[in-house]
Amino acid sequence: MVVKDSQPFSIVDDCGFKELVALLDSRYTLPSRRVLKEMVVKRYEEEKTKAKAVMERVEAVSLTADMWTSINMDAYLAVTCHYVDDSAKLATVLLGVLPFPETHTAVNITAAMRSLMEEWGTEGKVTSIVTDAGANMVASVRSLNVRHAFCFAHSLNLVVKKSLDATPGLQDLRTRARKVVTFFKTSTTAKEKLREVQEQMNRPVLKLIQEVDTRWNSTYLMLQRLFKERQSVGAALATLKTDVRPLSSEDYETADACLQLLSPFFQATVELSEEKRVSGSKIIPMTKMLMLYLYDTIGKTSHDTAKLLGQNMVSNMQNKFDTTESQTALTLSTLLDPRFKTIGFYNQVQAAASVKRLTAFCTQLRKNAQPDTPTEEQPSTSAQPAPANVDNPSSTGLNLWETLDRDASEARTARNATADATVEVQRYMTDPPLERSKDPLAYWVDHQNVYPNLFKLAKQFLCMPASSVPSERVFSKCGEILSKKRNRLNPKTVEKIMFLNKNL
């Protein structure tokens, strides 16, 4: 209960809780705060041992990492690990929420990450690390010599925020919208009047949503809610004494036209922040769909502000995601997702290059799976002596052709591996794509004997999440634990509680 509900250890001293426990079982003696803390530590050690045993069997993992500073100004580094388990399901384990008293330099982050990877035995298993685009994180992943994938949610946030800020007219609209929302959120009279009007209009009682400067989706939600409640808000403002001006009909037309452009970006952000479904493979096809949607909507809209916003979004999307279809982790995960394959690519030249890259990976797997091939044996000479010459090593005591024979044998093996890999990849590519609503991992379970090497690669690359949101969610829970009423927890204790909260 303490772990799952973020309850303080002091709950065992609360009068109401004591009375409740006594009512349930008067014979039960509550543990003291000290004993309760010892129970948490013991459970932490048990669960961590179990989790490490599971990780030993895992062949490939993908990590996410993020930094956070608590209300006490204590810094933490969270690292989550994602993999495909024995039953071919996506699984996640929190490797750690490390207290981070050092400065947030790439060198210090690298040392902490490497230490964590060594402790959990993931060295050599990490196919990618997903982080934000902070310079220290980028440099850290580079130092670890691991493929780096930028958080797609962060990248979309930067694209849309930059586009909104660069569109004349929208800044003023957002400023006036924020004033309206602030008025209804800070005035009890206005709040009550809005509720009253909504009830009179037989509408659901909905509160307005305020924009948060760092998150563009809050801008979307603010404008969406204002547009939906425009009649209720206008009627309420008309009866209140205030200098806050309601938005005009032209303002709402602008908001509606811009919301049509922003809507799929909001959908993409939500969809690609999931932990329990394959998401990394969606980045390339999702980017393609967003670009096609922008081009189509810009061509249809007659609203000048919306058209300019759309053009800004196209430009920023091209700048931000220009190299997406050439990144190994992203391209292979897309190809290995039977829902997308090459049709998920915007650029078919890049798609063809990615298929060659996949074939090379498959070839290497086949080579690694083959036993070392010895030099071909010479015919036996026991039956009849052969004439003494350099072609017959038994007569001279040496084999002049040993190196050439070995090279020739390796070349035949390599050619066979390449040919077999090419056939396996091409057969997979010509299969019809899976329905988008289907589970790609379930497909691979059904086809693991048909495409054995691609199945191994799918387990390596389909575990990559599209965003670092899993690490951010850890810190959201940390914020609940380290509240103003509970701010004396030791950072090491916070780490143990968070580990159990995420992994139990």
Side-chain angles (χ1 to χ4, degrees), residues 204-457:
V205 176
L206 299 173
K207 296 179 181 179
L208 300 185
I209 300 172
Q210 185 59 282
E211 180 184 48
V212 179
D213 186 56
T214 56
R215 293 294 183 185
W216 82 267
N217 53 359
S218 66
T219 305
Y220 172 81
L221 293 172
M222 177 184 72
L223 294 176
Q224 183 191 52
R225 181 60 57 84
L226 271 175
F227 182 78
K228 184 176 182 179
E229 296 300 315
R230 60 191 182 279
Q231 293 178 335
S232 303
V233 170
L237 283 174
T239 63
L240 295 166
K241 293 181 179 180
T242 177
D243 57 356
V244 175
R245 294 186 297 113
L247 300 185
S248 65
S249 58
E250 290 79 9
D251 290 331
Y252 283 121
E253 286 179 11
T254 300
D256 186 37
C258 293
L259 283 170
Q260 290 183 38
L261 285 166
L262 297 173
S263 179
F265 284 79
F266 180 79
Q267 177 187 339
T269 302
V270 173
E271 183 173 338
L272 294 185
S273 297
E274 293 182 315
E275 284 187 65
K276 298 299 183 182
R277 297 185 183 181
V278 173
S279 61
S281 60
K282 291 183 179 180
I283 292 177
I284 287 177
M286 186 72 81
T287 303
K288 173 184 177 180
M289 293 298 100
L290 289 172
M291 290 298 291
L292 292 176
Y293 180 87
L294 284 175
Y295 287 132
D296 183 60
T297 307
I298 291 171
K300 291 178 180 178
T301 187
S302 58
H303 198 287
D304 292 339
T305 302
K307 189 179 288 290
L308 184 55
L309 172 62
Q311 291 168 351
N312 288 334
M313 293 172 76
V314 166
S315 176
N316 288 319
M317 283 285 289
Q318 290 172 337
N319 291 335
K320 179 62 70 175
F321 299 111
D322 182 52
T323 62
T324 298
E325 294 192 358
S326 61
Q327 296 176 29
T328 298
L330 295 181
T331 56
L332 293 190
S333 65
T334 301
L335 289 177
L336 289 165
D337 191 322
R339 300 171 297 177
F340 305 127
K341 302 183 182 181
T342 57
I343 62 174
F345 287 74
Y346 190 91
N347 186 330
Q348 287 304 304
V349 174
Q350 290 285 13
S354 299
V355 171
K356 290 182 179 179
R357 190 180 299 123
L358 177 61
T359 304
F361 270 76
C362 191
T363 299
Q364 191 59 48
L365 268 184
R366 282 183 171 274
K367 288 180 180 178
N368 294 342
Q370 292 174 340
D372 293 335
T373 306
T375 304
E376 293 181 2
E377 294 183 1
Q378 300 297 323
S380 172
T381 59
S382 57
Q384 185 171 344
N389 60 60
V390 293
D391 282 337
N392 189 345
S394 62
S395 64
T396 63
L398 61 88
N399 186 354
L400 176 63
W401 299 96
E402 180 180 359
T403 301
L404 186 145
D405 290 341
R406 183 178 65 248
D407 291 346
S409 177
E410 290 176 355
R412 285 192 295 274
T413 300
R415 182 184 179 189
N416 291 339
T418 302
D420 291 344
T422 302
V423 170
E424 184 173 344
V425 171
Q426 291 302 323
R427 282 182 60 200
Y428 165 69
M429 287 298 167
T430 54
D431 278 352
L434 191 67
E435 290 181 25
R436 194 169 54 82
S437 60
K438 301 292 185 180
D439 180 5
L441 293 177
Y443 168 91
W444 281 113
V445 170
D446 294 338
H447 292 77
Q448 59 182 306
N449 294 325
V450 181
Y451 308 117
N453 296 287
L454 291 179
F455 172 63
K456 293 178 182 177
L457 291 173

Side-chain angles (χ1 to χ4, degrees), residues 75-299:
Y76 295 88
L77 170 69
V79 181
T80 65
C81 178
H82 307 263
Y83 60 94
V84 178
D85 65 18
D86 295 336
S87 59
K89 300 289 184 183
L90 274 185
T92 300
V93 61
L94 175 63
L95 299 189
V97 182
L98 304 181
F100 206 86
E102 302 88 356
T103 53
H104 300 179
T105 63
V107 173
N108 290 334
I109 294 174
T110 300
M113 291 277 287
R114 181 170 283 122
S115 174
L116 205 57
M117 290 163 65
E118 289 173 357
E119 179 187 359
W120 283 84
T122 60
E123 297 166 291
K125 296 181 179 182
V126 181
T127 57
S128 63
I129 299 180
V130 184
T131 74
D132 60 25
N136 53 353
M137 284 294 188
V138 174
S140 173
V141 177
R142 187 183 302 119
S143 298
L144 291 168
N145 196 27
V146 177
R147 296 185 191 92
H148 191 196
F150 291 124
C151 170
F152 191 67
H154 279 91
S155 298
L156 278 187
N157 183 64
L158 292 173
V159 164
V160 181
K161 191 174 184 303
K162 188 175 181 180
S163 301
L164 289 169
D165 292 343
T167 304
L170 272 184
Q171 284 281 32
D172 177 62
L173 173 59
R174 290 162 61 195
T175 299
R176 289 186 286 112
R178 284 195 298 268
K179 287 182 179 179
V180 172
V181 175
T182 300
F183 175 64
F184 282 99
K185 282 191 167 294
T186 57
S187 169
T188 54
T189 303
K191 178 182 176 182
E192 183 61 27
K193 176 55 70 174
L194 179 60
R195 184 191 64 79
E196 182 183 311
V197 171
Q198 288 172 332
E199 289 178 346
Q200 290 174 352
M201 292 183 171
N202 293 320
R203 298 180 63 84
V205 176
L206 299 173
K207 296 179 181 179
L208 300 185
I209 300 172
Q210 185 59 282
E211 180 184 48
V212 179
D213 186 56
T214 56
R215 293 294 183 185
W216 82 267
N217 53 359
S218 66
T219 305
Y220 172 81
L221 293 172
M222 177 184 72
L223 294 176
Q224 183 191 52
R225 181 60 57 84
L226 271 175
F227 182 78
K228 184 176 182 179
E229 296 300 315
R230 60 191 182 279
Q231 293 178 335
S232 303
V233 170
L237 283 174
T239 63
L240 295 166
K241 293 181 179 180
T242 177
D243 57 356
V244 175
R245 294 186 297 113
L247 300 185
S248 65
S249 58
E250 290 79 9
D251 290 331
Y252 283 121
E253 286 179 11
T254 300
D256 186 37
C258 293
L259 283 170
Q260 290 183 38
L261 285 166
L262 297 173
S263 179
F265 284 79
F266 180 79
Q267 177 187 339
T269 302
V270 173
E271 183 173 338
L272 294 185
S273 297
E274 293 182 315
E275 284 187 65
K276 298 299 183 182
R277 297 185 183 181
V278 173
S279 61
S281 60
K282 291 183 179 180
I283 292 177
I284 287 177
M286 186 72 81
T287 303
K288 173 184 177 180
M289 293 298 100
L290 289 172
M291 290 298 291
L292 292 176
Y293 180 87
L294 284 175
Y295 287 132
D296 183 60
T297 307
I298 291 171

